[in-house]
Amino acid sequence: MSRSLPQPEEIDPEETRPEKTGARRRSGESRPRIQFRPQPEPRSRPRARPGRDLTLPPWGFVLPALVVYALVVLYPAVSGVAYAFTDWSGIGDASFVGLANFRALLDDQRTLDSVVNTLLLTVAVVVVQNLVGLLLALGVDAGIRSGSLLRVVFFAPAVVSPVMVAFLWKYVYNPEDGAGLNGLLGAVGLGALRQDWLGDPSLALWSVAAMVVWQYAGYSMVIFLAGLQGVPPELHEAARIDGAGAWQRFRWVTWPMLAPALTVNLMLSTIGGLKLFDQVYAATNGGPGTASETLSTALFKEAFVYGKFGYSTAVALVLALFVAAVSLVQLRFLRAREVTA
């Protein structure tokens, strides 16, 4: 506990003048003594009661959020896992069927096709979206005058509703010769490339992938831009002095420093690709046939079209476990190659 020093009493300035002091010495008069008056000790703070941890949040603030989280997230998730082992049709009681839904999943060709389509769509979206996002980030970070405007333009599609984007691209993919992309191709003399983009089974999945890349490439660009801002300019200057060219500076300086941003982008795009639903359902509804069917659209149809809620929850459980496994493996691999300046 700190104690305040005693304060001296007020001293008359006349007593401290040199002539007065010299005269006092010559006359043998002793120097007046300074008396210190003790000051009262400050009040100490009240001590916390023994056994009370002040760092714990008050339960009155935390409990409502925990109750809402349990009702909205935990209860449906646990119920879904339980229904995956039943034959529930959405109405009435459910009977326990063990692993029958999972065995039926392995024998369902429609579901297996949706698994293949989901993987192909995810790989295409992850690779192209991040490549385009990286190129856009390098372009707008090059110090061009309209860089700020271009950032807004490229990022704008990411804030638009996926359903709205799907309907917009349905117009772009209009199979009529004079409409949308086909009309543009005809106007520039490439009429031979006109296609039924969403009606052709060999093109429908890739047309959806292009739609998703267009919407979220700006999102990846923003994350890469954040990574580029964290690269120290001294490293580029040192590499330039050593004679490194533009490609060598990118390969050995910029690219390793972008590893954290790359990890975030790959994680987000992979998870988004594996559970893609809105754009596929609004643009093609999984068609033609099962050409663009994904796991998300397949389990939706099993539940709300065919009334097989038990089977659809089994598909959803497999999808959730698959997304979690891929994400953990990907995160572990990417984190191992990250470097810091």
Side-chain angles (χ1 to χ4, degrees), residues 221-232 254 257-262:
M221 176 201 70
V222 172
I223 298 176
F224 278 126
L225 272 176
L228 289 173
Q229 300 297 322
V231 179
T254 304
M257 299 298 294
L258 282 179
L262 181 65

Side-chain angles (χ1 to χ4, degrees), residues 38-213:
Q39 299 294 321
E41 295 184 357
R43 290 185 177 180
S44 59
R45 293 183 177 179
R47 295 181 178 178
R49 286 180 296 181
R52 181 182 179 186
D53 190 355
L54 297 179
T55 60
L56 293 177
W59 285 104
F61 293 99
V62 178
L63 194 58
L66 290 178
V67 171
V68 173
Y69 181 79
L71 291 177
V72 176
V73 178
L74 295 182
Y75 176 72
V78 175
S79 300
V81 173
Y83 281 123
F85 299 91
T86 67
D87 61 350
W88 191 46
S89 63
I91 302 175
D93 298 330
S95 301
F96 181 75
V97 295
L99 299 176
N101 288 330
F102 298 95
R103 287 193 293 268
L105 189 154
L106 296 177
D107 296 332
D108 189 349
Q109 188 60 41
R110 183 186 184 91
T111 303
L112 296 179
D113 290 342
S114 68
V115 172
V116 175
N117 290 338
T118 301
L119 293 177
L120 292 175
L121 188 60
T122 301
V123 172
V125 168
V126 169
V127 173
V128 181
Q129 175 183 318
N130 288 288
L131 179 60
V132 174
L134 177 61
L135 294 177
L136 292 178
L138 293 174
V140 299
D141 192 56
I144 57 177
R145 184 170 298 180
S146 59
S148 300
L149 176 62
L150 291 177
R151 295 180 192 187
V152 176
V153 172
F154 293 145
F155 183 73
V159 300
V160 181
S161 166
V163 176
M164 186 178 296
V165 170
F167 281 108
L168 172 66
W169 276 82
K170 285 183 76 173
Y171 173 76
V172 174
Y173 288 143
N174 194 319
E176 299 293 333
D177 290 344
L181 182 58
N182 284 340
L184 179 63
L185 291 175
V188 297
L190 298 175
L193 298 178
R194 292 170 180 162
Q195 302 289 338
D196 186 1
W197 303 100
L198 296 177
D200 188 341
S202 62
L203 293 176
L205 188 66
W206 310 118
S207 299
V208 173
M211 180 196 316
V212 177
V213 169

Side-chain angles (χ1 to χ4, degrees), residues 5-11 34-37 39:
L5 294 175
Q7 301 298 320
E9 292 184 338
E10 293 185 357
I11 301 174
I34 300 175
Q35 297 181 352
F36 293 90
R37 179 181 298 171
Q39 299 294 321

